[in-house]
Amino acid sequence: MSIESRYQPLFEPVRLGPVTAPNRFYQVPHCSGMGNALPRTLAAMRGMKAEGGWGVVCTEYCSLHPSSDDQPHPFASLWDDGDVANLAAMAHQVHTHGALAGVELWHGGSFVANLATRLPTIGVRSMPSRDEPVQSQRMGRSDIRAFRKWHLAAARRACQAGFDIIYVYPTHGYLLSEFLSRSLNDRVDEYGGTLENRARLLRELLEETRAAVGDRCAIAVRFSADGHGDEHLSAAEAHDVVAMLGDLPDLWDLVVGDYYGEEMATSRFVREGSLEERFAAVKRLTCKPVVGVGRFTSPDTMVRQIRARVLDLIGAARPSIADPFLPAKIREGRVEEIRECIGCNVCYAYNYRGAAVRCTQNPTMGEEWRRGWHPERVPPGKGGSVLVIGAGPAGLEAAHILGKRGYDVTLADAAEEPGGRVTLESRLPGLAEWARVRDYRLTQLRSMPRVSMYLGNRLSAAEALEFAADHILIATGARWRRDGLGRWHARGIEGLASRSVLTPDDIMGGARPAGEVTIFDDDHYYMAPVIAVLLATGGAQVTYVTTAGRAAEWSHYTGEQERTQQQLLDLGVGVIVNTAVEAFDGQAVTLGCVYSGRRRQHPASELILVTSREPQDGLYWELVDQDAATATPRIQRIGDCRQPALIAHAVFAGHQAARELDEADEGSPPQRDRSVIGGL
Ligand code: ADP
Ligand code: SF4
């Protein structure tokens, strides 16, 4: 199929020094939660991106020496021949599909704590690490010389592993950004003082890498287009660095200084392509190609970036996770089939938690090797009929995959509108993009003649059995509890039964309490703060109470915590932490300190409980009971009605149930990626 002419520019090759990217789709370095611990998993995941059409596929941050280890966060490494062999497998898989492989050589400097290697960390001066009560060792001249040798050796190993692009990485607070920082770099030698001196190490690394491997590998610099804040490296200084070094690298990979707030921000806070102006300013300073990110999912936006000469290559981390086949779909004129990233940062959160990457939109992400899942292909099924009850994310994904496998599917929902929780939650402030979870699947279902929708009917067990389907998947979701039961209250809040309290389901159903509203957050993620924003914007006097030490505690892992708390404070929401709601009488809530147990009254005419959810599994149990008696269809429960969790879990559950329906080895454990003693 020929490429639509307006998207043709995206498929032009781009020369990067000694190598050529086959097109402009560039998967920038991104964390995977796999790193050096899961080499086969990593190779298959990166290879899948290349298969899907990404012209360049990079590693995550790749430690160049054991003095930079970020345990417990998974990272890649190029310390020795074993690492060379493992990363060569990744480069090979990427090359198999005609793409270039890039490696982001990284030294964490003072930021890390070397929990694994127990080597002293090194820094431009002695400074505390990010999380541990550990400080780095100030680097003397001999340490700088040693560091340059390590970098060079790692670049040679990268070349040996088959990488085509090698990064020098002076960004994100790591070692080389310490040197660039006006505040942190207090050296009085040739590496401190003037900007030229502070950039000296960066220049030396670029020159040395060029001399060693520059005839075979392109050299990229990942750089913040607007510096790292005025006290470290102002935007003007960042521009001066680019002007100074402009032509030394073969590629500038641009980011911005505010990592959590902007570069990696969720769709709640930042829109697609929002970094454009800052990238354009740098692009004007160099004649070398520039790549930059912007959570791009729209090919029209991408083309505009190229035509406006903002970027030469379209950088993507999250859009390539949500849809490894995004470039192929544009090339083949299937733009409406793109599984667009929703900007939730669940991918990032699980890497942060030390687990392999997963994605709300793409349930196959991270499962390419161990489960053999392909994001676009599923094996044909044995045929037959399936009734899926509940068209939330679990039911929609199940119906979609079953339809692809050739089953006759009826997707039923009590609501007139499909989407379940995704439809409801996407109407809350900042969550509009979450509707993409529903919309992608509905678009797929529309082209499947064997899938029919049966909306606006709440099915009873008897009605479900009347369908006489071979299989029934129950995806009836969960509802927020009204009794306060959760992490803090094992039995709920006493005396609530006689009071009228609200839950997120009421708010999503249209309830808009006014006056003095207390929201009790024992859930610790987005729901309670988002409701606080909704009601405070509508004029209510809102107090947010949480058992955690700060607002939306878990959203620390999605990078949203700070902006969430800021947003609440900006809106005048009272934030009370380390506190539980212990009672409510219609005029006040009784608050209890989680440490001292001390109690106090706080005025409240309304109480909204965001504590935990109750699986809506009544239909499942009824059917299972009847099934035992009548040997009727195989019945499974999936998604929130089995295990209330994130939308990502529901999509995964729907996918797995549909992919494994009728499989001979159903339920068999996935492969494990590990080295076995004796090399078995
Ligand atoms: P999940 O996240 O597991 O997909 P959701 O809560 O998003 O679950 O969706 C559950 C859906 O199931 C809702 O849209 C709800 O209307 C629907 N549902 C619940 N019970 C029934 C029933 N008995 N018959 C039909 N639909 C139902
Ligand atoms: Fe995008 Fe969310 Fe998937 Fe990450 S997890 S790629 S942010 S949809």
Side-chain angles (χ1 to χ4, degrees), residues 318 321-322 341-347 358-361:
R318 289 171 288 178
I321 293 172
C341 166
I342 68 166
C344 62
N345 281 5
V346 161
C347 47
R358 60 211 59 194
C359 171
T360 301
Q361 273 284 55

Side-chain angles (χ1 to χ4, degrees), residues 539-577:
Q541 199 181 322
V542 181
T543 304
Y544 166 94
V545 177
T546 180
T547 42
R550 50 190 171 161
E553 174 93 346
W554 197 84
S555 58
H556 168 65
Y557 302 118
T558 56
E560 295 170 294
Q561 195 283 324
E562 282 179 27
R563 282 193 81 154
T564 301
Q565 191 139 352
Q566 257 166 23
Q567 191 184 30
L568 295 181
L569 296 175
D570 287 348
L571 286 169
V573 172
V575 176
I576 300 177
V577 299

Side-chain angles (χ1 to χ4, degrees), residues 179-446:
F179 273 82
L180 285 175
S181 164
R182 192 159 3 108
S183 305
L184 304 179
N185 184 340
D186 61 356
R187 306 184 72 90
V188 291
D189 60 10
E190 67 274 26
Y191 292 99
T194 63
L195 184 62
E196 201 178 353
N197 280 356
R198 277 147 46 208
R200 184 177 305 280
L201 182 55
L202 172 58
R203 174 188 284 281
E204 287 171 346
L205 297 181
L206 284 169
E207 288 169 348
E208 286 160 4
T209 311
R210 162 81 61 220
V213 298
D215 56 332
R216 194 170 100 45
C217 303
I219 296 164
V221 176
R222 198 161 207 206
F223 199 65
S224 170
D226 59 355
H228 300 138
D230 284 350
E231 63 170 331
H232 295 293
L233 185 76
S234 68
E237 285 177 313
H239 293 176
D240 288 346
V241 171
V242 176
M244 248 190 269
L245 306 176
D247 294 346
L248 271 183
D250 299 304
L251 170 73
W252 287 92
D253 176 346
L254 299 182
V255 295
V256 290
D258 185 356
Y259 182 68
Y260 290 116
E262 284 195 286
E263 182 190 330
M264 192 57 209
T266 58
S267 57
R268 260 169 82 189
F269 300 107
V270 170
R271 304 271 141 251
E272 179 182 12
S274 60
L275 313 176
E276 181 174 330
E277 277 171 28
R278 277 164 283 174
F279 291 168
V282 171
K283 170 78 182 147
R284 288 192 283 274
L285 300 171
T286 174
C287 61
K288 295 298 168 119
V290 166
V291 60
V293 292
R295 213 163 45 73
F296 298 117
T297 57
S298 149
D300 293 302
T301 310
M302 296 176 196
V303 169
R304 199 169 49 73
Q305 302 279 317
I306 304 295
R307 289 207 190 284
R309 298 188 166 279
V310 177
L311 298 173
D312 300 291
L313 295 131
I314 300 300
R318 289 171 288 178
S320 74
I321 293 172
D323 198 340
F325 277 65
L326 182 150
K329 289 175 183 176
I330 298 174
R331 192 177 59 219
E332 293 160 14
R334 298 188 289 129
V335 168
E336 70 290 345
E337 291 186 37
I338 294 173
R339 203 166 37 239
E340 289 182 287
C341 166
I342 68 166
C344 62
N345 281 5
V346 161
C347 47
Y348 180 73
Y350 281 92
N351 166 74
Y352 209 144
R353 307 294 285 130
V357 66
R358 60 211 59 194
C359 171
T360 301
Q361 273 284 55
N362 175 11
T364 67
M365 176 47 54
E367 304 296 345
E368 299 83 357
W369 179 79
R370 70 171 182 171
R371 287 192 157 92
W373 288 2
H374 190 281
E376 300 301 313
R377 292 196 292 273
V378 282
K382 290 187 178 158
S385 59
V386 188
L387 170 64
V388 181
I389 306 178
L396 278 171
E397 176 65 4
H400 160 219
I401 296 303
L402 289 166
K404 265 191 165 170
R405 296 190 67 203
Y407 288 91
D408 291 311
V409 182
T410 304
L411 177 59
D413 201 295
E416 296 287 350
E417 214 182 334
R421 64 181 286 194
V422 163
T423 294
L424 298 169
E425 292 181 24
S426 65
R427 295 184 187 128
L428 294 170
L431 303 186
E433 283 191 22
W434 292 22
R436 292 173 172 182
V437 173
R438 172 198 65 203
D439 296 342
Y440 162 72
R441 290 167 178 84
L442 285 180
T443 306
Q444 296 289 304
L445 293 179
R446 272 187 214 112

Side-chain angles (χ1 to χ4, degrees), residues 388-396 412-415 417-424 454 457-460 474-479 613 616 619 638-643 645-647 650-651:
V388 181
I389 306 178
L396 278 171
D413 201 295
E417 214 182 334
R421 64 181 286 194
V422 163
T423 294
L424 298 169
Y454 186 66
N457 288 290
R458 179 169 295 279
L459 296 185
S460 64
I474 314 281
T476 45
R479 290 187 67 81
R613 289 184 295 153
Q616 297 302 291
L619 181 60
I638 56 172
D640 286 314
C641 86
R642 180 175 184 185
Q643 178 205 14
L646 304 185
I647 295 167
V651 172

Side-chain angles (χ1 to χ4, degrees), residues 5 7 46 164 182 193 276 309 341-342 361 439 453-454 503 524 534 549 552 598-599:
S5 61
Y7 300 140
R46 301 286 186 203
D164 310 283
R182 192 159 3 108
E276 181 174 330
R309 298 188 166 279
C341 166
I342 68 166
Q361 273 284 55
D439 296 342
M453 300 265 259
Y454 186 66
T503 72
H524 304 168
L534 175 75
R598 268 195 289 276
R599 293 193 168 200

Side-chain angles (χ1 to χ4, degrees), residues 28-46:
V28 295
H30 73 74
C31 296
S32 69
M34 298 166 188
N36 56 18
L38 303 174
R40 299 171 188 85
T41 313
L42 181 77
M45 183 272 284
R46 301 286 186 203

